[in-house]
Amino acid sequence: MKKIGVLTSGGDAPGMNAAIRAVVRKGIYHHLGVYGIYYGYQGLIEGKIEKMELGTVGDIIQRGGTALFTSRSEEFKTEAGQEKAIEQLKKHGIEGLVVIGGDGSFRGASELTKKGFPCIGVPGTIDNDIPGTDFTIGFDTALNTVIQAVDKIRDTATSHERTYVIEVMGRDAGDLALWAGVAAGAESIVIPEKNEPVEAVVDRIKRGHERGKRHSIILVAEGVGSGVEYGKQIQELTNFETRVTVLGHTQRGGSPTAFDRVLASRLGAKAVDLLIEGKAGRMVGIQKNQLVDHDILEALNETHQPEMSMYQLSQELSI
Ligand code: F6P
């Protein structure tokens, strides 16, 4: 293998830049030509491809977002789109591709591999919802963003003696709400994997009230539904003044944490190793602090489950 490509696709995540840098530098270290593909799969179809040098990825390890830009391409989901993508790769003499993104991006990588083009997936999403890895790039940074916000909201919740419902991202997964809830000491965590009835949440708030606690923080994962609607229900059922904050895309930005930078550097470099070894259709991940790789499709066929012992812990600590 002499030339490889790298792209980021789907929702951006802090640490993607560190992963891009690792792919480029590790590739060049092994005397490969490395090509950056801009705007994800859509950019690949349109031939937005440029050779990367060591300096191209200088000064990006600390930046959020993705220097390669990203997109969610409908065209790439079609047979014709995928053929065009492969034509572009061949035109540039690229023989292997590293795809940094979430499950949709991995499905694309798997399609290209099935068509004979070797791809390796690097999990990058704040949702932490990719099976086959304990952590995805961006999750830790987003988690830190959420707890900073919750800490601030707690100040005003205490002062006004209010209940706060905070809606957290995660698509269908509750990881971000769950971890943030434990880290920020939320009174309740509502996640799709454990759809606790609203009545149980209300009981907990009322119990707290009876023993003199006048504020409550409830983290609601977006996969459960609208935080605004949830807040209305809580207000109605408790009669306590309730406010709602939707953290939204603030969770996707910001300088990556040390954890995400290191994870991204390790996973990006490992992806290049796999391409050099002639592997294809694999995803890299970290499990029990060891770098691992799995068949992409097999991994995607698994169901992601958050660490449910954390849920039990949160219940025990917020009695
Ligand atoms: O997958 C990352 C994510 O931020 C999810 O948590 C969220 O549901 C979705 O992307 C939002 O997508 P968009 O940025 O396209 O609105």
Side-chain angles (χ1 to χ4, degrees), residues 198-234:
V198 69
E199 291 77 16
V201 174
V202 166
D203 280 352
R204 198 171 308 116
I205 297 171
K206 286 185 175 164
R207 274 204 311 275
H209 216 255
E210 276 157 23
R211 64 180 169 81
K213 188 168 190 176
R214 294 281 183 263
H215 70 272
S216 255
I217 302 282
I218 306 168
L219 288 197
V220 176
E222 66 172 341
V224 169
S226 153
V228 174
E229 291 308 315
Y230 203 86
K232 278 188 198 152
Q233 262 186 299
I234 294 288

mmCIF file of all heavy atoms in Angstrom, residues 198-234:
data_model
loop_
_atom_site.group_PDB
_atom_site.id
_atom_site.type_symbol
_atom_site.label_atom_id
_atom_site.label_comp_id
_atom_site.label_asym_id
_atom_site.label_seq_id
_atom_site.Cartn_x
_atom_site.Cartn_y
_atom_site.Cartn_z
ATOM 1 N N VAL A 198 -42.304 8.369 34.657
ATOM 2 C CA VAL A 198 -42.212 9.728 35.180
ATOM 3 C C VAL A 198 -42.675 9.778 36.642
ATOM 4 O O VAL A 198 -42.163 10.555 37.448
ATOM 5 C CB VAL A 198 -42.972 10.719 34.265
ATOM 6 C CG1 VAL A 198 -44.478 10.491 34.325
ATOM 7 C CG2 VAL A 198 -42.624 12.146 34.587
ATOM 8 N N GLU A 199 -43.610 8.878 37.000
ATOM 9 C CA GLU A 199 -44.128 8.851 38.383
ATOM 10 C C GLU A 199 -43.001 8.539 39.379
ATOM 11 O O GLU A 199 -42.974 9.078 40.490
ATOM 12 C CB GLU A 199 -45.249 7.799 38.541
ATOM 13 C CG GLU A 199 -46.545 8.140 37.811
ATOM 14 C CD GLU A 199 -46.479 7.899 36.304
ATOM 15 O OE1 GLU A 199 -45.538 7.187 35.853
ATOM 16 O OE2 GLU A 199 -47.329 8.439 35.578
ATOM 17 N N ALA A 200 -42.074 7.674 38.974
ATOM 18 C CA ALA A 200 -40.960 7.312 39.874
ATOM 19 C C ALA A 200 -40.051 8.523 40.076
ATOM 20 O O ALA A 200 -39.563 8.778 41.180
ATOM 21 C CB ALA A 200 -40.173 6.147 39.290
ATOM 22 N N VAL A 201 -39.862 9.296 39.005
ATOM 23 C CA VAL A 201 -39.038 10.507 39.102
ATOM 24 C C VAL A 201 -39.735 11.517 40.022
ATOM 25 O O VAL A 201 -39.110 12.130 40.892
ATOM 26 C CB VAL A 201 -38.791 11.105 37.690
ATOM 27 C CG1 VAL A 201 -38.069 12.435 37.771
ATOM 28 C CG2 VAL A 201 -38.017 10.116 36.818
ATOM 29 N N VAL A 202 -41.036 11.638 39.830
ATOM 30 C CA VAL A 202 -41.826 12.569 40.654
ATOM 31 C C VAL A 202 -41.744 12.167 42.132
ATOM 32 O O VAL A 202 -41.527 13.009 43.011
ATOM 33 C CB VAL A 202 -43.296 12.597 40.158
ATOM 34 C CG1 VAL A 202 -44.218 13.261 41.169
ATOM 35 C CG2 VAL A 202 -43.362 13.305 38.807
ATOM 36 N N ASP A 203 -41.869 10.858 42.399
ATOM 37 C CA ASP A 203 -41.781 10.379 43.793
ATOM 38 C C ASP A 203 -40.449 10.777 44.412
ATOM 39 O O ASP A 203 -40.391 11.202 45.563
ATOM 40 C CB ASP A 203 -41.876 8.846 43.839
ATOM 41 C CG ASP A 203 -43.318 8.389 43.739
ATOM 42 O OD1 ASP A 203 -44.209 9.263 43.797
ATOM 43 O OD2 ASP A 203 -43.539 7.176 43.584
ATOM 44 N N ARG A 204 -39.370 10.621 43.631
ATOM 45 C CA ARG A 204 -38.033 10.940 44.157
ATOM 46 C C ARG A 204 -37.948 12.443 44.486
ATOM 47 O O ARG A 204 -37.420 12.829 45.523
ATOM 48 C CB ARG A 204 -36.955 10.535 43.156
ATOM 49 C CG ARG A 204 -35.582 10.446 43.813
ATOM 50 C CD ARG A 204 -34.512 9.829 42.908
ATOM 51 N NE ARG A 204 -34.913 8.562 42.360
ATOM 52 C CZ ARG A 204 -35.098 8.309 41.067
ATOM 53 N NH1 ARG A 204 -34.900 9.264 40.182
ATOM 54 N NH2 ARG A 204 -35.458 7.119 40.640
ATOM 55 N N ILE A 205 -38.489 13.274 43.592
ATOM 56 C CA ILE A 205 -38.450 14.730 43.842
ATOM 57 C C ILE A 205 -39.240 15.047 45.124
ATOM 58 O O ILE A 205 -38.784 15.796 45.987
ATOM 59 C CB ILE A 205 -39.055 15.518 42.648
ATOM 60 C CG1 ILE A 205 -38.238 15.291 41.383
ATOM 61 C CG2 ILE A 205 -39.126 17.017 42.968
ATOM 62 C CD1 ILE A 205 -38.878 15.860 40.124
ATOM 63 N N LYS A 206 -40.410 14.431 45.249
ATOM 64 C CA LYS A 206 -41.261 14.723 46.421
ATOM 65 C C LYS A 206 -40.591 14.233 47.707
ATOM 66 O O LYS A 206 -40.651 14.909 48.739
ATOM 67 C CB LYS A 206 -42.642 14.083 46.245
ATOM 68 C CG LYS A 206 -43.497 14.845 45.229
ATOM 69 C CD LYS A 206 -44.898 14.275 45.170
ATOM 70 C CE LYS A 206 -45.790 15.110 44.256
ATOM 71 N NZ LYS A 206 -47.009 14.395 43.885
ATOM 72 N N ARG A 207 -39.960 13.054 47.639
ATOM 73 C CA ARG A 207 -39.253 12.537 48.835
ATOM 74 C C ARG A 207 -38.174 13.520 49.268
ATOM 75 O O ARG A 207 -38.011 13.830 50.439
ATOM 76 C CB ARG A 207 -38.610 11.177 48.527
ATOM 77 C CG ARG A 207 -39.531 9.980 48.710
ATOM 78 C CD ARG A 207 -38.739 8.698 48.965
ATOM 79 N NE ARG A 207 -37.658 8.464 48.029
ATOM 80 C CZ ARG A 207 -37.789 7.869 46.845
ATOM 81 N NH1 ARG A 207 -38.972 7.457 46.440
ATOM 82 N NH2 ARG A 207 -36.749 7.685 46.055
ATOM 83 N N GLY A 208 -37.439 14.028 48.272
ATOM 84 C CA GLY A 208 -36.378 14.999 48.550
ATOM 85 C C GLY A 208 -36.961 16.242 49.201
ATOM 86 O O GLY A 208 -36.434 16.764 50.179
ATOM 87 N N HIS A 209 -38.091 16.670 48.678
ATOM 88 C CA HIS A 209 -38.758 17.873 49.182
ATOM 89 C C HIS A 209 -39.146 17.705 50.642
ATOM 90 O O HIS A 209 -38.948 18.598 51.471
ATOM 91 C CB HIS A 209 -40.004 18.149 48.321
ATOM 92 C CG HIS A 209 -40.248 19.597 48.120
ATOM 93 N ND1 HIS A 209 -41.244 20.278 48.781
ATOM 94 C CD2 HIS A 209 -39.611 20.500 47.345
ATOM 95 C CE1 HIS A 209 -41.227 21.536 48.414
ATOM 96 N NE2 HIS A 209 -40.237 21.714 47.537
ATOM 97 N N GLU A 210 -39.672 16.493 50.934
ATOM 98 C CA GLU A 210 -40.119 16.224 52.313
ATOM 99 C C GLU A 210 -38.971 16.312 53.311
ATOM 100 O O GLU A 210 -39.163 16.664 54.471
ATOM 101 C CB GLU A 210 -40.789 14.844 52.396
ATOM 102 C CG GLU A 210 -42.256 14.920 51.999
ATOM 103 C CD GLU A 210 -42.813 13.584 51.539
ATOM 104 O OE1 GLU A 210 -42.251 12.528 51.908
ATOM 105 O OE2 GLU A 210 -43.794 13.605 50.764
ATOM 106 N N ARG A 211 -37.763 15.962 52.861
ATOM 107 C CA ARG A 211 -36.647 16.058 53.810
ATOM 108 C C ARG A 211 -35.877 17.374 53.626
ATOM 109 O O ARG A 211 -34.727 17.510 54.005
ATOM 110 C CB ARG A 211 -35.734 14.837 53.721
ATOM 111 C CG ARG A 211 -35.022 14.647 52.427
ATOM 112 C CD ARG A 211 -34.150 13.388 52.465
ATOM 113 N NE ARG A 211 -33.670 13.082 51.119
ATOM 114 C CZ ARG A 211 -32.650 13.657 50.544
ATOM 115 N NH1 ARG A 211 -31.973 14.580 51.171
ATOM 116 N NH2 ARG A 211 -32.287 13.339 49.313
ATOM 117 N N GLY A 212 -36.537 18.357 52.995
ATOM 118 C CA GLY A 212 -36.007 19.719 52.981
ATOM 119 C C GLY A 212 -35.210 20.097 51.751
ATOM 120 O O GLY A 212 -34.662 21.194 51.674
ATOM 121 N N LYS A 213 -35.165 19.210 50.767
ATOM 122 C CA LYS A 213 -34.403 19.525 49.566
ATOM 123 C C LYS A 213 -35.299 20.302 48.612
ATOM 124 O O LYS A 213 -36.366 19.811 48.233
ATOM 125 C CB LYS A 213 -33.940 18.206 48.922
ATOM 126 C CG LYS A 213 -32.997 18.409 47.805
ATOM 127 C CD LYS A 213 -32.372 17.098 47.426
ATOM 128 C CE LYS A 213 -31.254 17.391 46.478
ATOM 129 N NZ LYS A 213 -30.531 16.207 46.118
ATOM 130 N N ARG A 214 -34.882 21.476 48.225
ATOM 131 C CA ARG A 214 -35.790 22.349 47.477
ATOM 132 C C ARG A 214 -35.462 22.462 45.986
ATOM 133 O O ARG A 214 -36.104 23.194 45.257
ATOM 134 C CB ARG A 214 -35.780 23.756 48.102
ATOM 135 C CG ARG A 214 -36.352 23.784 49.503
ATOM 136 C CD ARG A 214 -37.887 23.767 49.451
ATOM 137 N NE ARG A 214 -38.474 23.856 50.772
ATOM 138 C CZ ARG A 214 -38.882 22.794 51.468
ATOM 139 N NH1 ARG A 214 -38.773 21.589 50.974
ATOM 140 N NH2 ARG A 214 -39.407 22.937 52.671
ATOM 141 N N HIS A 215 -34.412 21.791 45.547
ATOM 142 C CA HIS A 215 -34.113 21.826 44.105
ATOM 143 C C HIS A 215 -33.810 20.414 43.619
ATOM 144 O O HIS A 215 -33.459 19.548 44.415
ATOM 145 C CB HIS A 215 -32.935 22.751 43.810
ATOM 146 C CG HIS A 215 -31.636 22.205 44.300
ATOM 147 N ND1 HIS A 215 -31.172 22.437 45.573
ATOM 148 C CD2 HIS A 215 -30.726 21.400 43.697
ATOM 149 C CE1 HIS A 215 -30.026 21.819 45.740
ATOM 150 N NE2 HIS A 215 -29.719 21.171 44.615
ATOM 151 N N SER A 216 -33.960 20.232 42.330
ATOM 152 C CA SER A 216 -33.715 18.915 41.730
ATOM 153 C C SER A 216 -33.158 19.077 40.336
ATOM 154 O O SER A 216 -33.590 19.975 39.599
ATOM 155 C CB SER A 216 -35.042 18.175 41.597
ATOM 156 O OG SER A 216 -35.164 17.185 42.551
ATOM 157 N N ILE A 217 -32.234 18.196 39.977
ATOM 158 C CA ILE A 217 -31.713 18.188 38.607
ATOM 159 C C ILE A 217 -32.094 16.849 37.971
ATOM 160 O O ILE A 217 -31.782 15.786 38.513
ATOM 161 C CB ILE A 217 -30.161 18.307 38.598
ATOM 162 C CG1 ILE A 217 -29.689 19.587 39.304
ATOM 163 C CG2 ILE A 217 -29.613 18.188 37.177
ATOM 164 C CD1 ILE A 217 -29.802 20.859 38.525
ATOM 165 N N ILE A 218 -32.754 16.932 36.836
ATOM 166 C CA ILE A 218 -33.140 15.713 36.105
ATOM 167 C C ILE A 218 -32.472 15.758 34.732
ATOM 168 O O ILE A 218 -32.707 16.696 33.967
ATOM 169 C CB ILE A 218 -34.677 15.644 35.903
ATOM 170 C CG1 ILE A 218 -35.391 15.792 37.248
ATOM 171 C CG2 ILE A 218 -35.077 14.361 35.197
ATOM 172 C CD1 ILE A 218 -36.883 16.025 37.119
ATOM 173 N N LEU A 219 -31.649 14.770 34.447
ATOM 174 C CA LEU A 219 -31.035 14.717 33.108
ATOM 175 C C LEU A 219 -31.873 13.796 32.225
ATOM 176 O O LEU A 219 -32.124 12.650 32.589
ATOM 177 C CB LEU A 219 -29.606 14.177 33.193
ATOM 178 C CG LEU A 219 -28.557 15.092 33.802
ATOM 179 C CD1 LEU A 219 -27.163 14.615 33.444
ATOM 180 C CD2 LEU A 219 -28.725 16.526 33.342
ATOM 181 N N VAL A 220 -32.286 14.319 31.084
ATOM 182 C CA VAL A 220 -33.112 13.533 30.166
ATOM 183 C C VAL A 220 -32.353 13.356 28.851
ATOM 184 O O VAL A 220 -31.973 14.339 28.210
ATOM 185 C CB VAL A 220 -34.465 14.245 29.892
ATOM 186 C CG1 VAL A 220 -35.279 13.477 28.866
ATOM 187 C CG2 VAL A 220 -35.257 14.393 31.177
ATOM 188 N N ALA A 221 -32.128 12.114 28.472
ATOM 189 C CA ALA A 221 -31.464 11.853 27.184
ATOM 190 C C ALA A 221 -32.435 12.155 26.052
ATOM 191 O O ALA A 221 -33.616 11.817 26.149
ATOM 192 C CB ALA A 221 -31.020 10.395 27.123
ATOM 193 N N GLU A 222 -31.934 12.752 24.973
ATOM 194 C CA GLU A 222 -32.835 13.123 23.864
ATOM 195 C C GLU A 222 -33.553 11.904 23.283
ATOM 196 O O GLU A 222 -34.641 12.032 22.710
ATOM 197 C CB GLU A 222 -32.075 13.874 22.760
ATOM 198 C CG GLU A 222 -31.038 13.050 22.037
ATOM 199 C CD GLU A 222 -30.439 13.752 20.817
ATOM 200 O OE1 GLU A 222 -31.031 14.704 20.311
ATOM 201 O OE2 GLU A 222 -29.365 13.310 20.374
ATOM 202 N N GLY A 223 -32.958 10.716 23.437
ATOM 203 C CA GLY A 223 -33.584 9.497 22.914
ATOM 204 C C GLY A 223 -34.896 9.163 23.591
ATOM 205 O O GLY A 223 -35.695 8.378 23.074
ATOM 206 N N VAL A 224 -35.150 9.760 24.746
ATOM 207 C CA VAL A 224 -36.400 9.511 25.473
ATOM 208 C C VAL A 224 -37.519 10.387 24.914
ATOM 209 O O VAL A 224 -38.698 10.048 24.973
ATOM 210 C CB VAL A 224 -36.183 9.814 26.983
ATOM 211 C CG1 VAL A 224 -37.489 9.846 27.736
ATOM 212 C CG2 VAL A 224 -35.231 8.801 27.586
ATOM 213 N N GLY A 225 -37.139 11.533 24.365
ATOM 214 C CA GLY A 225 -38.133 12.474 23.844
ATOM 215 C C GLY A 225 -37.759 13.886 24.248
ATOM 216 O O GLY A 225 -36.652 14.122 24.744
ATOM 217 N N SER A 226 -38.690 14.803 24.046
ATOM 218 C CA SER A 226 -38.390 16.214 24.269
ATOM 219 C C SER A 226 -38.246 16.559 25.754
ATOM 220 O O SER A 226 -39.133 16.261 26.570
ATOM 221 C CB SER A 226 -39.537 17.032 23.651
ATOM 222 O OG SER A 226 -39.655 18.263 24.318
ATOM 223 N N GLY A 227 -37.142 17.215 26.083
ATOM 224 C CA GLY A 227 -36.929 17.688 27.447
ATOM 225 C C GLY A 227 -37.986 18.699 27.843
ATOM 226 O O GLY A 227 -38.422 18.750 29.002
ATOM 227 N N VAL A 228 -38.418 19.511 26.883
ATOM 228 C CA VAL A 228 -39.419 20.546 27.155
ATOM 229 C C VAL A 228 -40.728 19.888 27.604
ATOM 230 O O VAL A 228 -41.346 20.288 28.610
ATOM 231 C CB VAL A 228 -39.647 21.436 25.897
ATOM 232 C CG1 VAL A 228 -40.788 22.413 26.114
ATOM 233 C CG2 VAL A 228 -38.358 22.169 25.535
ATOM 234 N N GLU A 229 -41.129 18.851 26.870
ATOM 235 C CA GLU A 229 -42.372 18.147 27.230
ATOM 236 C C GLU A 229 -42.219 17.472 28.594
ATOM 237 O O GLU A 229 -43.137 17.483 29.418
ATOM 238 C CB GLU A 229 -42.714 17.084 26.160
ATOM 239 C CG GLU A 229 -43.125 17.677 24.815
ATOM 240 C CD GLU A 229 -44.234 18.727 24.954
ATOM 241 O OE1 GLU A 229 -45.199 18.468 25.698
ATOM 242 O OE2 GLU A 229 -44.113 19.813 24.346
ATOM 243 N N TYR A 230 -41.050 16.907 28.809
ATOM 244 C CA TYR A 230 -40.798 16.228 30.081
ATOM 245 C C TYR A 230 -40.906 17.221 31.234
ATOM 246 O O TYR A 230 -41.494 16.931 32.273
ATOM 247 C CB TYR A 230 -39.408 15.563 30.050
ATOM 248 C CG TYR A 230 -39.283 14.426 31.038
ATOM 249 C CD1 TYR A 230 -39.685 13.143 30.690
ATOM 250 C CD2 TYR A 230 -38.804 14.647 32.324
ATOM 251 C CE1 TYR A 230 -39.607 12.098 31.606
ATOM 252 C CE2 TYR A 230 -38.722 13.617 33.242
ATOM 253 C CZ TYR A 230 -39.116 12.350 32.877
ATOM 254 O OH TYR A 230 -39.043 11.313 33.779
ATOM 255 N N GLY A 231 -40.332 18.397 31.021
ATOM 256 C CA GLY A 231 -40.384 19.442 32.046
ATOM 257 C C GLY A 231 -41.815 19.832 32.377
ATOM 258 O O GLY A 231 -42.170 20.022 33.544
ATOM 259 N N LYS A 232 -42.661 19.933 31.317
ATOM 260 C CA LYS A 232 -44.077 20.298 31.543
ATOM 261 C C LYS A 232 -44.747 19.252 32.426
ATOM 262 O O LYS A 232 -45.485 19.589 33.358
ATOM 263 C CB LYS A 232 -44.817 20.358 30.196
ATOM 264 C CG LYS A 232 -44.607 21.667 29.452
ATOM 265 C CD LYS A 232 -45.519 21.707 28.238
ATOM 266 C CE LYS A 232 -45.031 22.773 27.257
ATOM 267 N NZ LYS A 232 -45.376 22.467 25.878
ATOM 268 N N GLN A 233 -44.470 17.994 32.125
ATOM 269 C CA GLN A 233 -45.067 16.898 32.899
ATOM 270 C C GLN A 233 -44.642 16.976 34.364
ATOM 271 O O GLN A 233 -45.466 16.841 35.268
ATOM 272 C CB GLN A 233 -44.563 15.557 32.342
ATOM 273 C CG GLN A 233 -45.491 14.868 31.384
ATOM 274 C CD GLN A 233 -44.936 13.507 31.029
ATOM 275 O OE1 GLN A 233 -43.843 13.420 30.475
ATOM 276 N NE2 GLN A 233 -45.662 12.457 31.352
ATOM 277 N N ILE A 234 -43.358 17.226 34.574
ATOM 278 C CA ILE A 234 -42.826 17.287 35.947
ATOM 279 C C ILE A 234 -43.496 18.436 36.714
ATOM 280 O O ILE A 234 -43.929 18.276 37.856
ATOM 281 C CB ILE A 234 -41.279 17.460 35.928
ATOM 282 C CG1 ILE A 234 -40.599 16.223 35.334
ATOM 283 C CG2 ILE A 234 -40.737 17.794 37.319
ATOM 284 C CD1 ILE A 234 -40.617 15.004 36.221
#
